[in-house]
Amino acid sequence: MEYLTLNNGVKMPILGLGTWDLRGSPGYKAILSALSVGYRLIDTAKMYANEEIVGKACKDSKIAREELFITTKFSGSYASYEGVKRGIDESISLFSDSYIDLALIHEPYGDVFGMYEALQEALECGKVRAVGISNFDKNRYLSFIKRCAVIPAVNQIESHVYFSQLDFKEVLNAHGTQMQAWASFTEGRRNVFAEPKLVEIAKKYNKTAAEVILRYQIEHGIAVIPKSADVKRQQENLNVFDFSLSEEDKAQIALLDCKKSLFNWY
């Protein structure tokens, strides 16, 4: 596993497991299998309603807590100062833990400044190790950080070969915020695994299109959290640290970028 160093010195795995839609016993088994094959970052959210099984899988994995990196996100009924204060303690309890590694505002809605104040207080007292945001576009991000005493360590946003947001990544870099991608595989909005150019490039390296996609993002310094409940796919997603893409191949992949969201989030 490779690690990134966040703006407060905390080290975060560059690749983790997204857990959207992983619930109940099947979800627990999927998270446990991911941990068993080498994942160390698990990304969840209040919205996912699965923090308890994330905590149980982490405990049952018998992996030392300091080796794990757990992210959660707050939105909806938690979109206020009091909501985040309550949510932090609730999440820690559901994880059967004493701290959260990374806590994010899930969406740029609600009382974001009150939410962030609560996150900063949790950071100061050791309940979280790093704080950040999710789904803030460039304008919202730049407006937000003008009022922040603590620059967000992470901005988790949509990013894939059809909407890389590499230009936004440069803005984030300039201010010390790490970009983390959700929807690396487009969540089914496009059949990215059958994209001819990606399939062609993958054959050159004896890799899959999925591995090429993740490698492309990682080589641009983007953290990734692909979701998979299948242990073979989980292992495949981890198998991206033993090759590098040529500059020519990266230039070819860049041509796929339509610079338009597939989710109309922005």
Side-chain angles (χ1 to χ4, degrees):
M1 181 60 65
E2 294 179 2
Y3 290 78
L4 296 163
T5 300
L6 303 180
N7 60 15
N8 64 349
V10 169
K11 293 189 178 301
M12 180 181 79
I14 199 167
L15 188 151
L17 180 75
T19 65
W20 164 247
D21 217 23
L22 296 181
R23 300 187 181 93
S25 178
Y28 162 79
K29 291 177 182 177
I31 297 164
L32 193 61
S33 72
L35 292 167
S36 72
V37 300
Y39 285 77
R40 292 297 178 265
L41 186 157
I42 307 296
D43 178 272
T44 183
K46 285 297 186 187
M47 185 186 293
Y48 303 171
N50 63 6
E51 288 179 321
E52 187 171 8
I53 64 168
V54 167
K56 178 172 171 52
C58 288
K59 293 290 183 184
D60 292 349
S61 73
K62 307 300 182 184
I63 298 168
R65 177 62 181 91
E66 58 270 20
E67 293 183 28
L68 300 174
F69 193 101
I70 300 174
T71 299
T72 196
K73 304 181 283 290
F74 300 92
S75 62
S77 63
Y78 300 91
S80 65
Y81 171 80
E82 291 297 337
V84 168
K85 282 183 67 70
R86 168 173 52 87
I88 289 284
D89 290 337
E90 181 180 282
S91 294
I92 288 172
S93 177
L94 287 169
F95 292 141
S96 299
D97 214 330
S98 58
Y99 66 92
I100 299 163
D101 292 284
L102 176 63
L104 307 177
I105 296 174
H106 201 159
E107 304 169 326
Y109 311 123
D111 179 15
V112 292
F113 294 106
M115 295 172 76
Y116 204 64
E117 182 182 352
L119 289 181
Q120 289 177 102
E121 289 178 3
L123 180 68
E124 291 166 2
C125 71
K127 291 182 179 181
V128 303
R129 298 175 66 224
V131 298
I133 54 180
S134 179
N135 297 306
F136 280 60
D137 65 14
K138 183 171 73 173
N139 290 336
R140 283 193 171 107
Y141 170 76
L142 292 174
S143 175
F144 183 76
I145 64 173
K146 288 179 181 178
R147 293 176 55 182
C148 290
V150 175
I151 295 295
V154 169
N155 187 11
Q156 188 182 109
I157 57 176
E158 176 191 352
S159 178
H160 41 77
V161 296
Y162 304 115
F163 186 51
S164 67
Q165 300 217 69
L166 292 179
D167 53 345
F168 185 18
K169 180 183 179 296
E170 294 307 309
V171 174
L172 294 170
N173 286 354
H175 293 280
T177 299
Q178 172 63 48
M179 177 173 161
Q180 188 176 53
W182 60 262
S184 292
F185 301 143
T186 79
E187 296 186 1
R189 300 296 174 101
R190 295 278 295 271
N191 187 7
V192 69
F193 303 126
E195 180 65 53
K197 179 55 63 177
L198 296 175
V199 172
E200 178 187 339
I201 291 171
K203 287 179 180 177
K204 290 174 56 177
Y205 299 94
N206 194 28
K207 292 289 183 178
T208 65
E211 290 167 328
V212 167
I213 291 163
L214 295 179
R215 186 66 204 174
Y216 179 74
Q217 292 187 303
I218 286 170
E219 288 192 16
H220 281 97
I222 300 170
V224 293
I225 46 171
K227 187 203 82 172
S228 178
D230 180 84
V231 66
K232 290 183 179 179
R233 178 62 66 81
Q234 290 173 349
Q235 185 63 66
E236 177 184 314
N237 291 344
L238 272 183
N239 193 26
V240 296
F241 299 110
D242 61 352
F243 76 110
S244 297
L245 296 167
S246 71
E247 292 302 317
E248 178 184 356
D249 288 333
K250 284 189 282 190
Q252 288 297 308
I253 295 171
L255 295 176
L256 297 173
D257 194 343
C258 301
K259 301 187 182 301
K260 183 178 180 181
S261 170
L262 296 182
F263 297 81
N264 297 317
W265 191 279
Y266 306 96

